[in-house]
Amino acid sequence: MEGQDDLGVYKNYWFSGIADKAVFKLAETGPVPLPGCNGVERNVLYQRAAGIQAYGLVDRDAVEDSALSCTPDDSLFLSENMNKNPNIYYTLRWELENYLIDAVAWEQERVNSKTRGDGRRPAEEVMVEIFCHCDILVAHAAANALLHSLGKPKIGDGFGTKVDTRADFEDLLFAGPFKGLSAADIADYSSWKQRIEAFDLPHGTVEQRVFAISRRIHGKALLERFFKKYSIQDDKRFSVASRISGRIPQEIALRVAEWVQGN
């Protein structure tokens, strides 16, 4: 695994029931003590060479410097990454938190924190709210892609959490981190937005659209926006991970099951 949070979710919440069949480990604690994506890649190669059936899980954001990170073609994304190393799986969604999107769980966390469980909204209504946040976060992801390409500091996950429209979010961008950018840079920003919007499914259901666009927006920022709107400050990642442990995202569940069965 790339990081402590990934390890915690996979080992302690989602796959604790198969501890006798699979050991989840942090890359930097492996025989090649390197963190992150490089650590995963190097450790899988090293352990495979030693006869250990090792596999790696890497978030999509690890390939952000590759054009592949911005292809909405899942088959192409998976096949190209599989060609690099068939024992390392690069997730379709941007980061771990993108797999924690769950309208029922998020709404339960909201009412537990604010109303002692009263006033729970239908999942469909909550998903509409989540999609509105996703639309704003297209600008967030595009801004970070541009700033990264320019060698400038990225904006944080909490940037612009108090605004409710993409237009207002972009006003903050141009008043702050985009101040002084050239016309060419701004054109690049527009191009990044188009590439990220290409992940959307305009004719799908709201839920389908959320999961489609979540392949490229930043999940940490989405979680922060949703809960900060209700003045909920504590980190909800692990409580959400626990709530959805009985409905682990199929992409991840199938991949881990395939590896375990292969053993």
Side-chain angles (χ1 to χ4, degrees):
M1 313 299 302
E2 291 183 273
Q4 287 281 5
D5 292 341
D6 306 76
L7 181 66
V9 168
Y10 285 101
K11 177 183 176 183
N12 299 327
Y13 294 99
W14 288 358
F15 297 104
S16 59
I18 60 169
D20 59 327
K21 299 175 182 176
V23 178
F24 290 84
K25 298 188 70 173
L26 191 62
E28 61 195 60
T29 64
V32 183
L34 292 173
C37 173
N38 287 337
V40 172
E41 292 172 344
R42 294 281 297 278
N43 275 287
V44 169
L45 289 171
Y46 183 96
Q47 294 190 47
R48 283 263 157 188
I52 299 169
Q53 288 183 292
Y55 301 94
L57 270 168
V58 175
D59 294 337
R60 188 187 195 110
D61 67 351
V63 296
E64 69 173 321
D65 290 325
S66 164
L68 199 58
S69 72
C70 259
T71 176
D73 184 333
D74 290 348
S75 295
L76 176 63
F77 180 83
L78 292 173
S79 63
E80 288 294 317
N81 282 308
M82 189 70 71
N83 289 339
K84 290 193 294 185
N85 187 331
N87 299 309
I88 296 176
Y89 185 74
Y90 292 79
T91 64
L92 291 174
R93 300 187 200 175
W94 191 247
E95 54 191 350
L96 168 68
E97 289 75 10
N98 297 58
Y99 289 96
L100 299 179
I101 299 171
D102 187 287
V104 173
W106 288 20
E107 181 65 358
Q108 190 64 61
E109 291 291 336
R110 183 187 73 83
V111 296
N112 285 356
S113 296
K114 306 303 291 185
T115 62
R116 298 180 179 86
D118 286 340
R120 215 166 28 239
R121 299 172 295 173
E124 295 79 10
E125 181 180 336
V126 178
M127 195 59 82
V128 169
E129 180 184 341
I130 292 172
F131 179 73
C132 291
H133 289 304
C134 290
D135 181 68
I136 295 170
L137 290 175
V138 168
H140 176 277
N144 272 336
L146 173 67
L147 293 168
H148 180 67
S149 72
L150 296 174
K152 295 179 178 291
K154 294 180 180 180
I155 57 175
D157 297 318
F159 183 92
T161 53
K162 293 184 179 179
V163 301
D164 295 323
T165 67
R166 192 194 292 190
D168 288 341
F169 186 93
E170 291 184 322
D171 285 343
L172 294 178
L173 285 175
F174 285 101
F178 279 12
K179 204 167 186 178
L181 291 186
S182 69
D185 292 335
I186 301 307
D188 283 345
Y189 167 66
S190 295
S191 176
W192 275 111
K193 282 195 295 183
Q194 290 173 3
R195 276 178 270 182
I196 293 165
E197 286 168 341
F199 282 84
D200 192 6
L201 294 174
H203 303 296
T205 66
V206 173
E207 183 176 57
Q208 288 170 337
R209 296 183 72 183
V210 166
F211 290 135
I213 202 72
S214 75
R215 290 174 292 169
R216 188 56 185 79
I217 63 166
H218 297 204
K220 289 186 183 72
L222 179 59
L223 271 165
E224 192 156 345
R225 283 191 63 84
F226 182 88
F227 287 109
K228 275 197 172 179
K229 177 179 177 180
Y230 300 102
S231 301
I232 300 170
Q233 302 297 329
D234 53 314
D235 188 343
K236 292 295 183 183
R237 287 178 297 173
F238 298 106
S239 53
V240 169
S242 178
R243 284 191 184 282
I244 67 173
S245 59
R247 50 182 187 276
I248 302 167
Q250 189 177 44
E251 175 196 346
I252 302 299
L254 289 176
R255 177 56 52 180
V256 172
E258 181 181 298
W259 287 340
V260 169
Q261 289 164 9
N263 288 336

